[in-house]
Each structure stands twice: as C-alpha cells, then as structure tokens.
Amino acid sequence: MAPAAFALVDENLRESMSFFGRATGAGSVLAAPDLLLVHSGLRQGVFNMALFAAPAGAADTRRRLERAREYFAARDAAWSAWILEEWLESAARAAAAETLASWGHRVIHEPPGMLAETLHPPRQALPRVEYASVRDQRTRDDFSAVCSVVFDIPLRAAHRLYQREAAWHGSYRGHLGYCGGEPVTAAGR
C-alpha cells in the first residue's frame, strides 16, 4: 500500500476504534504519540484495544505492549492489539508476535486495509437500497442489530456499544443501508 493510502487507512482505523472508548460512557481513550489505548468499559478484549501510532523497532514494540498490558490490567479488562504491519520492521513483528503469544494472546484476524480508487460498475441489476445516517433511536437500534450479526457479538453487547446517543456526537459517523425497509448493511467512519 502506498504511504499516502496507508496514512488514510491508519487514521480511519484509529478514529473508528476510538469510538468504543466513548460508546458506553464507562470507557476512555488515551492517546500518546506512539500508542492509542481504547478501553470500552466492557470486559471483552475485542472492544479494548492497543493500537500503535508510530513506527517501532523490536525493543520499543515490547515496551509499548507492556504499557498496554499494564493499562488494561489496571482496569481488569481483557484487551487486543491492533498492529498495522507498516508500523513495524521485521524484527519488531517477530517481537510483537513473541510477546503477545507469551501472554496467551493469539492472532484471530488479519484484516486488509482497503482503499479503492474506483469501483467497477455492477454486472447485474442490484436491489434498491436506501441509505440513512445513524441519528436517532431507530437507527441506533438498526446499527446495533446489523453489527451484532456481522461481527457475531451478542445483541446486548452491541446495544451497549451503539445505543448511547452521546457516543455519536464525536467525529465517528455510522451509516445504514435498507432494502425493503429492513436494515441490511452498516458502515462507520
């Protein structure tokens, strides 16, 4: 991925994940020059995350991960590390894998950072989709329901994350697609 595209994907990831620190009203976001720590207020590790915010060598990688471990231990919360490979030299990638494995962490997903300059036209007729932004109780309910299915999380957890009106007052925006009046897709940025 080109450096400019990488910067866009990185910025979007950190902004999107920061939402979880504001979502429940019981979380926090700690932004340091080299590390972003997001605590959602929930115990599930997938919603409590450490993200690197600057390139790192092997020794610095270990130090950042140790800071994250201490931060989440103080909150009695499981956590996950979201590390963009572009931030790490090869020795640092090995250090991250070794350190996290020694703590019982495992790789559960390696999502690609995606950025499309253009989209090809559809090959077949597509159903009519109406779009709406998350802005009220109904759209928060619908966003929660779609995310519950897509991310395979309990609906109750999705509601805790996406129901609080104040969570939507930051820069993170949610969008929905409806087909026949039913919510069928959700996106956030």
Side-chain angles (χ1 to χ4, degrees):
M1 185 178 303
F6 165 69
L8 286 173
V9 171
D10 175 59
E11 179 184 340
N12 184 63
L13 177 66
R14 285 188 283 125
E15 181 61 33
S16 295
M17 298 300 107
S18 293
F19 173 84
F20 296 113
R22 298 183 300 270
T24 67
S28 60
V29 177
L30 176 64
D34 62 347
L35 189 63
L36 176 69
L37 299 170
V38 178
H39 177 244
S40 68
L42 302 176
R43 294 185 52 86
Q44 292 97 333
V46 72
F47 301 116
N48 303 312
M49 57 220 74
L51 297 97
F52 283 21
D60 192 38
T61 293
R62 284 189 187 96
R63 281 192 293 273
R64 289 183 203 181
L65 292 172
E66 287 167 358
R67 282 179 24 222
R69 184 180 190 197
E70 291 168 5
Y71 178 84
F72 291 109
R75 287 153 182 78
D76 192 30
W79 63 284
S80 55
W82 293 63
I83 303 174
L84 298 169
E85 289 183 352
E86 288 82 356
W87 282 134
L88 305 177
E89 57 191 42
S90 63
R93 288 179 192 169
E98 179 182 303
T99 300
L100 291 166
S102 74
W103 297 339
H105 287 243
R106 60 186 169 75
V107 174
I108 59 169
H109 192 53
E110 294 187 49
M114 297 183 289
L115 184 66
E117 291 184 23
T118 62
L119 296 174
H120 296 285
R123 295 181 183 181
Q124 62 189 28
L126 300 176
R128 179 175 165 81
V129 177
E130 297 172 5
Y131 298 95
S133 295
V134 174
R135 66 186 177 287
D136 56 22
Q137 186 64 51
R138 176 181 171 237
T139 53
R140 289 192 304 272
D141 286 344
D142 291 346
F143 196 89
S144 298
V146 171
C147 288
S148 173
V149 172
V150 170
F151 296 112
D152 193 26
I153 59 174
L155 183 57
R156 181 177 170 162
H159 279 301
R160 283 206 56 205
L161 291 167
Y162 302 116
Q163 284 300 305
R164 203 169 144 264
E165 181 183 355
W168 296 96
H169 292 237
S171 58
Y172 185 80
R173 298 289 179 257
H175 307 279
L176 292 154
Y178 292 87
C179 189
E182 294 295 319
V184 294
T185 188
R189 63 162 185 86

